[in-house]
Amino acid sequence: MSNENTVTAAPGGFENPAGAASSHPERTTARAVLETLRGYGIDTVFGIPGTHSLEFYRPLRELGIRPITTRHEQGASYGADGWSQVRGLPGVVITTSGPGLLNSLSGAATAYAESRPMILLSPGRPVGHDFRDIGSLHETKNPSAAVNAIVGVSRRVTSAAEAVTMIHDAMRDFAHSRPRPIHIEIPLDILEAPADVPESATAPRPLGEPAPAPEADVAAAVEALAASERPVILAGGGSLAAGEHLLELAELLEAPVITTTNGKGAIPEKHRLSLGADLRLSTAHEFLRSRDALLVIGSKVGEAELWGGDITPQGPVVRVDIMRDQMLCNLTPDVEVPGNSAAVVPQLLAGLRARADAGGPGHAAGSGDVVGSDAAGDVAPSARRAPDLREVFDAMDEEGRTWAPELAALNEIIMNVVPDDTILAGDSSQVTYMGSTTFFRAPVPHSLLYMGTYATLGYGLPAAIGAKLAAPERPVVCLVGDGALMFSIQELMTAVELGLDLPVICVDNGGYGEIRQNMVDRSIQPLGVDLVQPDWVRLAEGFGATGLSATMDILADTVRTALETKGTSLVHLKI
């Protein structure tokens, strides 16, 4: 006997309303969602197939979307983040319900903290079955609420149309606001049902042009910068949209450029005006304080970047940001310039050039020019002499070595071996934040995959996999510590399975070296930080990779061998 309230168990433990269709029409909600993503150029997704997420996988081949199956959903979200940075599109993660979704959240939290675009897709309980504590498979009290506490937006949708609209809205937000990950939970009965949207609704929508700043704000910024004799630029991740215009601006102002780790490579780091990504160093703090104007572009000036330092300059602070709340964070601006750096930096260039053409300040002059000022009190064009940054650069370089001499040395050895266009993946290992951030000179943005704010272990290897998939023509190297690598060592199998030419360099200091030192500094006898190590070479070989053992004196040759090795390799370096 049955009635309209009777339910039957669906495969995998979810319950479906009686009479629900068991067939799988060609254009399901899952397909409509994936059609929408494909229209925006997304051809790769990361995740692990599960009982409840199968309909996401049905149309992938036909749509030309490649699924990357990692060995853990955390690796999927880190891989999607690495892919996103290199490809310039949001990373997409598909998980099953419950544990699959929750396992991915460290990567989602990374994307949130570092302001990166990511889309997470997961199935949910059928409509009307929310909060039923009945022991169904992967039962989770309120997954969307849990994820919403981590990402920008998490929503349990009620139709295909709502899910598709969320993707369109997210793509526009990624382009015009501070990018933050989003999560779409699709109830299982809706996921598998015929889509309630026409194909035309899934077509990509115009994203519009980058938002310029109000003319009055640009004029105020131009006036402040033109009046300065010693300007400096701090470029964050939000500056990368400006592309080559940022270098033009730096050269016009003869302004040194220092970046956050997310802004690393905003201008080529071997350029004469680049001071790298060393905001953590006291030498950098002292230099910034000595300048008479500071232009901050697309950065929250995060505490995790400054390591407690003060960078308040002697003159005005001009801040450019796509979000006003960011301009008010950590360093009070004298001039606020709200807008997208892709539009605002050209506006600043145009304003400074117009001022120069009219006989005012704003163009570069040779180093032999005489410093002077015009009648209005602004710095005359002749004052734009090229700064000699060798002394400050050498001082920063030396301070970086002083912090961690051995890590500096091994980074320099490796950087002298890898090709110039290498993508380097690291994580919250000492070898990264006390070595690679300083001694890896990034030629272009997103050459160092890192997350200075969220600062997680286990990111490096899956992020390297994502980067290699996004740019197979570029060399990709993963350089991390032994404790960090053990967080995601299972992804070595993913790299091997995909046939990726990917050297992984494991710097072994016997465990959690920094935490060990923190304990010593606080007069705590080290506890829980000295780790038993595997036989790293045999471990790599067990995964089907090439295992190599190195010491400092043969490190260069060993890394060369790894770079020339076909397939995945692991170099073990004990220090």
Side-chain angles (χ1 to χ4, degrees):
M1 180 177 178
S2 67
N3 58 44
E4 62 182 7
N5 296 318
T6 303
V7 295
T8 56
F14 273 150
E15 296 174 351
N16 285 332
S22 58
S23 62
H24 296 282
E26 208 168 287
R27 279 200 83 249
T28 61
T29 296
R31 183 185 177 95
V33 166
L34 291 161
E35 284 175 3
T36 309
L37 292 170
R38 189 68 184 93
Y40 285 105
I42 293 168
D43 60 6
T44 305
V45 296
F46 296 78
I48 300 175
T51 300
H52 298 143
S53 63
L54 297 181
E55 285 306 309
F56 281 124
Y57 283 79
R58 183 187 296 275
L60 291 181
R61 282 194 182 92
E62 187 179 344
L63 293 174
I65 300 176
R66 184 183 188 185
I68 303 301
T69 301
T70 56
R71 285 356 187 220
H72 192 288
E73 288 90 357
Q74 180 173 274
S77 54
Y78 291 154
D81 184 73
W83 183 92
S84 173
Q85 289 186 71
V86 175
R87 191 65 174 272
L89 291 167
V92 174
V93 182
I94 297 175
T95 76
T96 193
S97 52
L101 173 62
L102 298 183
N103 282 343
S104 72
L105 290 190
S106 187
T110 298
Y112 183 90
E114 311 302 334
S115 302
R116 295 174 188 158
M118 179 181 288
I119 297 173
L120 294 95
L121 303 173
S122 72
R125 293 188 187 190
V127 174
H129 289 237
D130 316 47
F131 306 111
R132 294 192 67 192
D133 187 10
I134 57 175
S136 59
L137 183 67
H138 299 333
E139 188 170 83
T140 310
K141 180 182 178 183
N142 192 344
S144 187
V147 181
N148 201 47
I150 300 295
V151 303
V153 174
S154 173
R155 184 178 302 156
R156 177 177 163 88
V157 300
T158 58
S159 67
E162 188 179 356
V164 166
T165 298
M166 274 196 74
I167 292 173
H168 289 309
D169 290 348
M171 296 301 295
R172 188 171 183 84
D173 287 346
F174 293 153
H176 295 286
S177 185
R178 185 182 184 189
R180 280 323 198 3
I182 73 158
H183 166 237
I184 305 174
E185 179 186 333
I186 307 177
L188 188 64
D189 51 337
I190 293 175
L191 183 74
E192 298 180 345
D196 58 354
V197 292
E199 290 188 33
S200 58
T202 66
R205 299 174 183 174
L207 298 180
E209 296 299 316
E215 292 183 7
D217 294 329
V218 174
V222 167
E223 182 177 356
L225 294 171
S228 67
E229 295 183 36
R230 303 181 311 282
V232 63
I233 297 172
L234 168 55
S239 75
L240 301 181
E244 295 181 357
H245 295 301
L246 179 62
L247 180 57
E248 292 179 48
L249 180 62
E251 291 177 336
L252 184 67
L253 291 170
E254 286 296 346
V257 178
I258 190 166
T259 76
T260 65
T261 51
N262 283 333
K264 191 173 176 67
I267 72 169
E269 290 197 308
K270 292 185 180 180
H271 189 277
R272 63 183 177 83
L273 289 174
S274 173
L275 289 175
D278 282 320
L279 269 179
R280 66 186 176 90
L281 299 178
S282 60
T283 307
H285 305 156
E286 182 179 351
F287 177 77
L288 290 167
R289 290 195 300 270
S290 74
R291 311 310 282 179
D292 66 352
L294 171 60
L295 173 60
V296 181
I297 305 177
S299 173
K300 59 182 173 289
V301 195
E303 295 177 2
E305 295 276 359
L306 292 175
W307 287 22
D310 175 21
I311 62 170
T312 306
Q314 296 179 7
V317 174
V318 179
R319 295 191 69 166
V320 175
D321 207 286
I322 205 166
M323 301 294 289
R324 187 175 185 276
D325 62 343
Q326 287 295 95
M327 287 190 289
L328 305 178
C329 183
N330 294 323
L331 183 66
T332 303
D334 297 287
V335 181
E336 299 173 27
V337 192
N340 190 318
S341 67
V344 176
V345 172
Q347 284 181 288
L348 295 175
L349 279 167
L352 288 163
R353 286 170 175 156
R355 198 179 183 100
D357 291 342
H363 76 269
S367 59
D369 290 336
V370 178
V371 176
S373 62
D374 62 16
D378 290 336
V379 179
S382 59
R384 295 291 178 201
R385 68 172 51 173
D388 186 348
L389 300 176
R390 287 173 296 183
E391 184 176 340
V392 64
F393 187 87
D394 288 346
M396 290 170 64
D397 212 45
E398 184 57 34
E399 185 182 350
R401 286 187 178 84
T402 302
W403 273 96
E406 195 167 22
L407 297 178
L410 71 87
N411 264 277
E412 288 190 297
I413 291 170
I414 293 168
M415 302 322 157
N416 285 331
V417 172
V418 299
D420 289 340
D421 62 340
T422 294
I423 297 170
L424 186 70
D427 61 17
S428 194
S429 301
Q430 286 180 299
V431 69
T432 302
Y433 61 79
M434 299 182 87
S436 304
T437 54
T438 298
F439 298 102
F440 175 54
R441 313 297 183 198
V444 294
H446 301 304
S447 293
L448 176 65
L449 305 181
Y450 181 59
M451 10 63 352
T453 298
Y454 196 65
T456 184
L457 295 174
Y459 173 87
L461 176 53
I465 291 170
K468 189 64 177 178
L469 290 167
E473 74 285 357
R474 289 181 65 182
V476 178
V477 174
C478 175
L479 174 59
V480 292
D482 60 288
L485 187 54
M486 286 302 289
F487 271 64
S488 58
I489 188 63
Q490 68 275 4
E491 303 308 341
L492 199 65
M493 194 70 251
T494 306
V496 170
E497 179 180 68
L498 293 169
L500 301 181
D501 296 336
L502 177 62
V504 179
I505 304 172
C506 174
V507 179
D508 174 7
N509 65 1
Y512 302 125
E514 182 188 13
I515 309 305
R516 181 191 303 117
Q517 187 59 50
N518 292 161
M519 288 181 169
V520 171
D521 293 342
R522 298 187 184 197
S523 300
I524 301 172
Q525 184 176 351
L527 182 68
V529 291
D530 297 308
L531 306 179
V532 174
Q533 299 292 313
D535 183 325
W536 287 97
V537 171
R538 291 177 63 190
L539 178 66
E541 292 172 348
F543 277 110
T546 299
L548 302 165
S549 185
T551 54
M552 288 291 284
D553 58 328
I554 62 167
L555 179 58
D557 288 338
T558 309
V559 172
R560 286 191 190 95
T561 298
L563 288 166
E564 295 166 358
T565 297
K566 187 68 176 173
T568 306
S569 57
L570 187 147
V571 175
H572 174 236
L573 172 67
K574 187 171 180 60
I575 62 171

